[in-house]
Amino acid sequence: MKCILLCAGYATRMYPLTENYPKPLLDIKGKALIDYLIDDLENNKVIEEYIIVSNHKFINHFNEWKNKRKENIIILDDGSTNNDNRLGAVKDIWFAIEEANVNDDILVLAGDNLLDFSLKGFIDFSNEKNDNAVMRYYESELARLQRTGVAVIDSNDKILEMAEKPKQPNSNWAIPPFYIFKKECLNEIKIGIDSGCKTDAPGGFIEWFSKRNEVYAYLMPGKRIDIGNLDIYYKIKK
């Protein structure tokens, strides 16, 4: 399995801190945000190669960071230079697959999230199902459900329907940006892009993808912290 870490965003809500520095490399107690994800995966020896998708503005920062790591890491520049010409998450996934010649199962992660549980359980879940997988957690607040992907799940954890940012959610199962795609389905990403599916928010792609492919939803055993603004970042640092 290979891991694609999406790190090409511009984090405009965290300016001025991220105006000239990438959010996934911000420090949390002596480690970059992205280090926590990779360290967990390395402790469990489940990833053969890490593919970091950066933008052109921050590529040098990621290359400097890579020199401090010992893992097999590829740093890619998606060519974007600002928030207005960014490719979007789904196009960045396909960009990574093409540039790194990926022909393997992939774990896709947003590089600006912290987890208080290991990703190994998620990978084991996908292997047990032998199929594509996403994560899910129970969300009770309507306003939060309206800002994320929401899925209807059957008794076997399979997604029956999925909607990105629904005005009237059909369930309380929220889907964060953590995905596993089996290698047999990788070309579906290109098909989705060409067919006009949503490419900025990956949840919109999962909505399209789950209508064509089986996708199972892993119940998160802990919490995910999305470092979405300065208040959250400084709170976590403390």
Side-chain angles (χ1 to χ4, degrees), residues 3-9 13 23-25 32-38 41 51-53 62 88-90 92-93 106-115 119 122 135 175-181 200-203 224-228:
C3 178
I4 297 175
L5 287 125
L6 302 175
C7 302
R13 288 182 296 169
K23 181 165 63 166
L25 296 185
L33 280 170
I34 197 174
D35 285 329
Y36 286 92
L37 294 171
I38 292 179
L41 293 167
I51 304 164
I52 314 294
V53 184
F62 282 100
V90 181
D92 272 335
I93 295 170
I106 59 171
L107 169 66
V108 179
L109 306 175
D112 57 355
N113 285 255
L114 285 176
L115 305 176
L119 287 160
F122 181 40
M135 287 193 191
I175 309 297
F178 299 91
Y179 315 113
I180 292 175
F181 296 106
D200 189 26
R224 159 220 174 203
I225 302 171
D226 177 11
I227 312 297

Side-chain angles (χ1 to χ4, degrees), residues 73-235:
I73 296 175
I74 296 174
I75 308 293
L76 297 177
D77 177 356
D78 76 355
S80 73
T81 55
N82 57 59
N83 200 52
D84 294 329
N85 64 20
R86 67 190 188 280
L87 297 188
V90 181
K91 288 183 179 180
D92 272 335
I93 295 170
W94 183 246
F95 171 74
I97 291 170
E98 282 197 307
E99 289 294 309
N101 296 314
V102 175
N103 185 27
D104 202 348
D105 298 347
I106 59 171
L107 169 66
V108 179
L109 306 175
D112 57 355
N113 285 255
L114 285 176
L115 305 176
D116 69 356
F117 59 92
S118 174
L119 287 160
K120 185 177 184 301
F122 181 40
I123 295 171
D124 289 344
F125 172 85
S126 177
N127 289 335
E128 291 167 5
K129 298 294 186 182
N130 193 30
D131 223 319
N132 310 289
V134 299
M135 287 193 191
R136 63 181 163 112
Y137 64 92
Y138 188 87
E139 177 56 65
S140 59
E141 294 186 25
L142 175 61
R144 291 178 180 271
L145 290 168
Q146 292 173 330
R147 296 195 300 268
T148 189
V150 177
V152 176
I153 313 295
D154 71 9
S155 59
N156 195 36
D157 301 314
K158 180 181 174 181
I159 291 182
L160 298 178
E161 62 180 83
M162 167 88 180
E164 174 70 6
K165 299 180 180 179
K167 291 183 179 180
Q168 296 181 325
N170 288 331
S171 85
N172 292 92
W173 292 121
I175 309 297
F178 299 91
Y179 315 113
I180 292 175
F181 296 106
K182 306 302 283 186
K183 66 178 181 180
E184 296 83 4
C185 295
L186 295 186
N187 197 53
E188 288 280 284
I189 299 171
K190 180 64 164 60
I191 294 172
I193 293 170
D194 291 343
S195 68
C197 79
K198 298 175 183 177
T199 57
D200 189 26
F205 171 74
I206 296 297
E207 178 180 349
W208 175 89
F209 182 84
S210 62
K211 294 176 182 177
R212 296 166 51 95
N213 304 272
E214 290 193 350
V215 182
Y216 291 85
Y218 172 69
L219 181 59
M220 288 170 47
K223 294 182 180 180
R224 159 220 174 203
I225 302 171
D226 177 11
I227 312 297
N229 57 53
L230 290 172
D231 287 342
I232 294 174
Y233 174 65
Y234 288 124
K235 180 179 180 181

